[in-house]
Amino acid sequence: MAMEGSEGNSDAVSPHPWQSYNTVYTTAKAGMEGVDKEKVQKIVYEMSKGSKYFQNEERKEAFIKQKIENMRLQFAKLSPSDLSHYQKVAERRILELEASRDLSRIWLHVDMDAFYAAVETLSNPTLKGKPMAVGSMSMLSTANYEARKFGVRSAMPGFIARKLCPELILVPTDFKKYTHYSDLTRKVFQRYDPNFIAGSLDEAYLDITEVCRERNVKCEEIAQELRDGVYEETGLTCSAGVAPNRLLAKVCSDINKPNGQYVLPNDRMAIMTFISSLPIRKIGGIGKVTEHILKDVFGINTCEQMLDKGSYLCALFSQSTAGLGKTDSPQVSFRKSISNERTFSATEDEVLLQKKLAELAEMLSTDMQKEGLHGRTLTLKLKTASFEVRNRAVTLQNYINSSEDILKHASKLLKAELPVSVRLIGLRVSQFNGDKCGATPDPTQKTITNFITSGEANRKNNSFSDVTDHDFVSDTETDPSIDVRHTGQLHSRDSFDGNHSLDVNHQSCTLWKNDGAEKVQTSGNDAASSHHSGLTELLGSTSSQGQFEGKNVNDGSNLIEEDRLNSCQETIMSWLNDYKCSLCGIELPPSFVEERLEHSDFHFAEKLQKEESSIRQTSIPIHSQDQRHRINRQSKSKKQKFSQKEGRNTPIDYFFVKK
DNA sequence: GGGTGGGTCCAAC
DNA sequence: TTCCAGTTGGACCCACCC
């Protein structure tokens, strides 16, 4: 894209129009150092030129240009006093971060080399030494190093790859195989850090501080030993990076790829030198567009320049833009939406589209039921024959997860768009009832919800929570769509017992089917509960007595049977949550709790309520989804106003580890 | 007019 | 010959409400 001039006459304007056609797969990647970039660009351009996809890319590019232009204008409007203010803000931020710099940990990032391709070669040795890629004519998941020499790489359509390398062998993906080998590698990782964080099937983060200390061994040796172990276990090679935080470790693991390692010492000077010339694109979270903006608007190419120009960034970026603020404090992040989408030959046949929609609804419902999710916002995504993407959403009164409900509402959304020629349909459900567990039948009720935790307990949880944090999602070498599912599988193996949580979720489904949706309207969704601000306060406070006291206040002394049942169920569900989080220090066998839940055991629930206050104080605060939403809103409305005390992260936070 | 919820779109891998 | 994915989080904008 980035065509010169207006659509359609690009060739007339520039003699080498392909030079400005930059897609993700024309950028450098490990193993592509000697590639003739211009030749690749030209072929990709020629293959794409004139297609509907290409035209759409041009539209998108024009939009980005406009965005950059707007930002330039904004930048030009900043007065010297504004700039001086933001300069101070940036300096203060850097000082704060310097003060909190933590170089005491040693992180290792391990990344399998061309993982899918390597696994395929392992099972079919005749592929060895030949250029091959895993994927289809539409899209490649990864390419081996022989293929990369031709400019073939992940995220590239197969038909373009074939043009670049006519002898390229295409192998279809086989995720069972990759999962098997992934599990083998993880057994090795576990020897060094039982709480390692899986980024995706082919990469992981390990805190090797303890193992280095206990064995009095240098981190280089641990990295080598781990890589040897992976090779022995699987026959596959990997690369490793060692650094004081995960972000840097990830950058380091790419340096001596394939089958190599790089260690960045835990030393301030070494780090500053290392990042000074580091291209911003190397940083996880900075993609094509952000790189474009930083370069064009601010002239920022390296991380050092990013630090130097921190004031500009503070002035013009919301601090959360493009995930720039992600630092190294692991946090539990639960899934916020679930979706399915499929591409097919473009059609405007309504019957056919309805059929596709029904299939998607079925798939989505199955996935939701597996995870015990109920949501109330349904989004229909359409990609038209001209690659235009449309999203249409509806927020419902009730939480749904049955295919019938999903289809019913999705059909309405689709009908409103007809007639249209569509090549992709997607369905997405969000606004879950209390995150994964979903215990409250009332969308407005701030009860059983989410955990926002920190510290070591978190790190444990992180290894089995949904790894949706893009900091930890792999490079495009692997297919993230699959990664999500499979990291989910991995989580089941973790110390908190994913099977248990699945059961819990299943239980919450039962609750829902019994009486949830109807009661939303009758018992819970009244003014008293939806405007019960005190309840919200309670929930947000670490010293809170928990939501059940609030509920009791609400109910008063004349607790009717139905409310009592709800209260009981909520209480038990809450404890299931706590058990899952393993924060209460009380080990209730899941079957025991679930049995109580199933029979709505009042005695048990009331006993829990009595113990609530003493235990709750030692547990991690629970934030409701609504409350978190509110917190987000507050942060958002304060963006660019740096007087805020919590000091959200800026791009300059990147290279510091918060304590 | 600030806060909030809903809807749309984009960025990232 | 084949002809550009799938999933998720969140920013941004707008309408509405108090």
Side-chain angles (χ1 to χ4, degrees):
Chain A
M1 70 198 90
M3 308 303 303
E4 299 292 331
S6 58
E7 271 181 41
N9 63 353
S10 319
D11 294 83
V13 176
S14 164
H16 303 296
W18 59 85
Q19 287 176 339
S20 51
Y21 185 64
N22 291 306
T23 75
V24 65
Y25 37 86
T26 50
T27 56
K29 189 172 167 67
M32 298 181 73
E33 292 77 17
V35 175
D36 182 346
K37 193 184 170 188
E38 174 125 358
K39 189 181 158 197
V40 173
Q41 270 186 315
K42 193 176 174 186
I43 290 176
V44 171
Y45 172 77
E46 292 297 335
M47 294 291 288
S48 309
K49 193 173 68 173
S51 69
K52 284 176 177 168
Y53 173 82
F54 185 86
Q55 287 167 9
N56 192 57
E57 289 298 294
E58 284 184 319
R59 277 197 294 270
K60 277 157 64 180
E61 179 63 23
F63 187 84
I64 293 169
K65 272 192 173 170
Q66 188 59 53
K67 194 174 168 182
I68 288 173
E69 200 45 47
N70 291 345
M71 206 168 253
R72 275 212 184 102
L73 290 174
Q74 255 183 295
F75 186 41
K77 276 185 201 161
L78 289 174
S79 68
S81 69
D82 288 335
L83 284 173
S84 141
H85 166 70
Y86 288 119
Q87 181 64 39
K88 281 178 193 151
V89 170
E91 281 167 10
R92 194 169 62 228
R93 196 92 191 97
I94 290 173
L95 281 176
E96 281 169 16
L97 288 161
E98 282 283 0
S100 67
R101 189 193 287 277
D102 178 5
L103 299 178
S104 67
R105 309 306 297 181
I106 307 171
W107 282 93
L108 183 148
H109 177 250
V110 53
D111 197 325
M112 301 302 295
D113 300 324
F115 184 52
Y116 297 175
V119 170
E120 293 298 342
T121 306
L122 210 57
S123 59
N124 178 6
T126 63
L127 293 170
K128 203 170 182 182
K130 295 174 187 164
M132 62 87 73
V134 176
S136 67
M137 271 299 178
S138 302
M139 190 55 68
L140 302 183
S141 289
T142 191
N144 69 4
Y145 281 81
E146 283 79 9
R148 289 184 196 188
K149 288 175 194 160
F150 293 85
V152 173
R153 57 159 295 168
S154 53
M156 178 182 274
F159 69 93
I160 291 179
R162 268 279 165 77
K163 190 79 178 178
L164 288 168
C165 174
E167 62 267 46
L168 180 75
I169 300 167
L170 278 182
V171 179
T173 46
D174 180 352
F175 288 103
K176 266 191 184 168
K177 221 185 277 179
Y178 314 144
T179 308
H180 168 72
Y181 280 97
S182 181
D183 285 345
L184 294 179
T185 65
R186 285 164 180 181
K187 275 182 193 158
V188 180
F189 303 160
Q190 244 166 353
R191 294 180 209 156
Y192 300 90
D193 178 6
N195 301 317
F196 74 89
I197 298 164
S200 63
L201 283 183
D202 77 325
E203 63 176 307
Y205 297 85
L206 290 77
D207 184 346
I208 56 168
T209 316
E210 299 309 320
V211 74
C212 287
R213 194 175 51 81
E214 281 164 15
R215 290 171 49 185
N216 195 22
V217 176
K218 282 185 179 173
C219 53
E220 289 90 328
E221 293 169 46
I222 294 290
Q224 184 64 54
E225 191 186 302
L226 178 142
R227 291 175 45 235
D228 291 345
V230 168
Y231 186 75
E232 279 168 29
E233 194 74 34
T234 63
L236 300 166
T237 64
C238 62
S239 302
V242 179
N245 69 36
R246 287 181 296 180
L247 187 123
L248 286 169
K250 184 168 169 72
V251 175
C252 290
S253 70
D254 202 44
I255 292 176
N256 287 321
K257 236 177 182 320
N259 200 15
Q261 61 185 55
Y262 182 88
V263 175
L264 177 63
N266 285 23
D267 168 76
R268 184 183 180 276
M269 275 310 291
I271 295 168
M272 296 313 277
T273 307
F274 179 78
I275 66 169
S276 64
S277 57
L278 191 69
I280 48 174
R281 191 68 152 82
K282 290 279 180 188
I283 301 168
I286 296 188
K288 189 183 73 175
V289 173
T290 313
E291 179 189 30
H292 201 139
I293 291 171
L294 289 175
K295 277 185 180 170
D296 286 12
V297 181
F298 305 106
I300 293 174
N301 292 289
T302 66
C303 297
E304 188 176 40
Q305 291 168 337
M306 191 145 81
L307 284 171
D308 289 345
K309 301 185 179 181
S311 57
Y312 303 164
L313 301 178
C314 286
L316 288 187
F317 275 100
S318 72
Q319 294 173 19
S320 48
T321 293
L324 287 177
K326 301 275 174 65
T327 58
D328 205 35
S329 8
Q331 285 195 332
V332 169
S333 86
F334 286 123
R335 178 199 277 285
K336 291 183 176 62
S337 71
I338 185 166
S339 64
N340 268 163
E341 65 185 60
R342 288 293 177 275
T343 298
F344 42 84
S345 309
T347 177
E348 48 185 333
D349 181 340
E350 189 182 341
V351 177
L352 200 56
L353 290 175
Q354 282 291 349
K355 189 169 167 264
K356 301 268 181 204
L357 198 62
E359 286 166 9
L360 274 172
E362 188 65 48
M363 283 193 283
L364 185 58
S365 172
T366 305
D367 288 350
M368 289 182 74
Q369 283 172 20
K370 267 186 210 159
E371 299 198 33
L373 295 169
H374 295 74
R376 56 190 285 259
T377 298
L378 177 70
T379 305
L380 171 75
K381 176 180 173 181
L382 299 176
K383 193 184 276 181
T384 68
S386 57
F387 287 86
E388 177 206 348
V389 178
R390 296 184 197 170
N391 290 284
R392 300 291 180 261
V394 62
T395 298
L396 311 165
Q397 281 285 333
N398 297 338
Y399 292 103
I400 59 168
N401 81 346
S402 73
S403 58
E404 294 79 17
D405 282 340
I406 293 170
L407 183 59
K408 185 174 78 185
H409 296 290
S411 292
K412 281 185 201 162
L413 293 172
L414 176 63
K415 277 185 182 141
E417 299 301 311
L418 297 173
V420 62
S421 181
V422 174
R423 72 190 316 280
L424 171 147
I425 299 184
L427 285 176
R428 179 178 189 172
V429 174
S430 51
Q431 284 220 59
F432 298 135
N433 53 335
D435 286 335
K436 283 191 92 172
C437 221
T440 160
D442 178 358
T444 64
Q445 192 173 326
K446 285 77 174 178
T447 54
I448 301 157
T449 49
N450 188 28
F451 312 96
I452 296 176
T453 59
S454 60
E456 276 308 294
N458 252 345
R459 211 166 73 70
K460 278 189 171 181
N461 286 346
N462 214 340
S463 63
F464 79 100
S465 68
D466 291 315
V467 185
T468 48
D469 188 333
H470 282 129
D471 273 354
F472 313 133
V473 173
S474 76
D475 189 33
T476 46
E477 179 164 292
T478 55
D479 183 350
S481 62
I482 303 300
D483 292 342
V484 172
R485 289 158 186 272
H486 288 276
T487 43
Q489 284 184 6
L490 165 80
H491 301 153
S492 303
R493 304 187 299 108
D494 230 286
S495 51
F496 288 106
D497 184 3
N499 291 329
H500 163 223
S501 74
L502 280 177
D503 289 341
V504 169
N505 293 331
H506 177 73
Q507 192 62 59
S508 76
C509 290
T510 312
L511 252 182
W512 269 92
K513 281 180 181 168
N514 286 346
D515 58 1
E518 294 312 310
K519 282 187 185 145
V520 170
Q521 303 309 321
T522 55
S523 66
N525 197 13
D526 56 21
S529 68
S530 62
H531 298 294
H532 197 288
S533 60
L535 188 56
T536 313
E537 298 291 322
L538 275 175
L539 288 166
S541 163
T542 44
S543 58
S544 152
Q545 299 296 299
Q547 61 268 51
F548 306 107
E549 283 72 13
K551 181 77 183 173
N552 286 341
V553 168
N554 241 2
D555 290 338
S557 52
N558 300 322
L559 196 68
I560 61 169
E561 193 65 6
E562 186 179 283
D563 282 349
R564 198 172 171 220
L565 180 69
N566 282 341
S567 172
C568 166
Q569 286 173 334
E570 283 177 16
T571 304
I572 297 171
M573 284 310 302
S574 159
W575 275 75
L576 283 172
N577 282 346
D578 280 352
Y579 178 83
K580 269 173 69 185
C581 221
S582 189
L583 296 168
C584 292
I586 292 178
E587 292 194 6
L588 298 170
S591 56
F592 176 77
V593 181
E594 284 161 28
E595 197 183 321
R596 291 333 186 254
L597 180 63
E598 203 171 336
H599 297 105
S600 295
D601 185 329
F602 293 129
H603 177 71
F604 177 66
E606 280 160 10
K607 199 174 162 195
L608 290 184
Q609 283 178 2
K610 277 181 195 165
E611 289 171 1
E612 172 73 12
S613 58
S614 59
I615 299 298
R616 183 64 66 187
Q617 283 169 5
T618 62
S619 70
I620 299 297
I622 295 179
H623 288 230
S624 75
Q625 195 171 8
D626 286 359
Q627 190 188 18
R628 283 186 299 129
H629 201 149
R630 189 165 301 118
I631 290 166
N632 286 340
R633 294 281 177 204
Q634 282 166 0
S635 304
K636 274 192 215 172
S637 68
K638 286 180 189 168
K639 79 180 170 192
Q640 297 188 10
K641 294 177 189 170
F642 281 74
S643 55
Q644 57 183 304
K645 282 180 185 153
E646 67 262 42
R648 290 160 66 214
N649 301 317
T650 72
I652 57 176
D653 296 359
Y654 244 121
F655 306 101
F656 304 88
V657 184
K658 283 187 168 177
K659 273 180 186 167

